[in-house]
Amino acid sequence: MTDRELDAAGIGDPALRQAYHHCRTLNARHGKTYFLATRLLPIERRPAVHALYGFARWADDIVDTLDPTSSAAHRVAALAKLERGLEQGLRDGHSDEPVVRALADTARRYAIAPAHFRDFMAAMRSDLVVSDYPTYADLRRYMHGSAAVIGLQMLPVLGTVVPREEAAPHAAALGVAFQLSNFLRDVGEDLDRGRVYLPGDLLAGHGVDRGLLRWSRDTGRGDRRITAALREFETLTRGVYREAAPGIGMLDPVARPCIRTAFVLYGGILDAVARDGYAVLHRRAVVPRRRRAVVAADGLARVVFARLRAGARSRRLAETGPGHPRFAPPGVPHRPVPEEAA
């Protein structure tokens, strides 16, 4: 399947193909929800998504490693080395690091703004020194680089039926919504890394602080104050999903099933957390396999419909041609089709 993806994308250089292979492996191994949704994209666009994910995962693993032999100084040096490689890759397309080589090629092919990658690296550097966020506004500033820019990087790959700047705020919000879902699910694991991503003012409003979170994590006991704070964070996150939702209908119809599937599955993390009694300090909430399968099947059906519809439109354009009232020249955006129709 990987070779078919690379062939469809026109990626022929052996070293570059190997770099994309590496990124796809990272996506399949670590981003199960993301990888499942990616399979619903047109085949020629999948390598780009693997490259974007692979680079982000590589940087995140440097920052978040729980390896006791990896000192803070080692992580700082490794991240700086990756950032130097990124700058070289964006400048001239060359890098000895496979994830950077694939990323640089994707950035060139889709004209992705280099600033998005630099903002991401700034957020990764922040993770090495910042361990909590006093307010939600502070957290959102951090998430511009750690999450919002991921949505903005994806937008040229997905394609839009409106001017890109119109879809951009929704794409950024979706990146933030996904990360907030992960923050809620991973409260315990992040605490073990010395970080708390729940805003300090939200916690304090329920009488919760880092000490109480640590006590709950260590003893396996719950506390109603913690539950109330987690429930409020869930409500906040659902609000960001509502900000993001209109953007799905602004995407290229053949890309919508992928993003809609990711939207539903990541949103399902919130449902799983609530169903598990907000016990995220003690165990990781998981979206059931049956639910994942149902959502994936729905996404596949939408892919088939979208491709049939796109093929029918192409045939109509071929038959009518320029000068016909139904003809729309390439590059002229169409208004979004309601998401339910895709």
Side-chain angles (χ1 to χ4, degrees), residues 10-11 23 30 34 39 45-46 61 165 210 215 247-248 257 277 318:
I11 300 168
C23 291
H30 299 290
Y34 205 74
R39 297 294 298 274
R45 302 190 202 181
R46 296 175 200 169
D61 281 351
E165 59 271 18
R210 182 186 288 258
W215 168 84
I248 298 177

Side-chain angles (χ1 to χ4, degrees), residues 138-200:
D138 294 320
L139 184 63
R140 284 297 292 251
R141 280 191 288 274
Y142 160 75
M143 287 192 295
H144 166 74
S146 66
V149 297
I150 303 298
L152 297 175
Q153 292 167 22
M154 284 283 293
L155 206 51
V157 179
L158 299 172
T160 61
V161 292
V162 299
R164 193 178 298 168
E165 59 271 18
E166 185 177 337
H170 303 290
L174 190 59
V176 170
F178 288 174
Q179 186 165 63
L180 288 172
S181 299
N182 287 341
F183 284 163
L184 181 60
R185 180 195 62 195
D186 298 338
V187 171
E189 295 173 23
D190 288 330
L191 190 62
D192 291 342
R193 297 185 178 100
R195 301 195 201 105
V196 176
Y197 289 107
L198 305 181

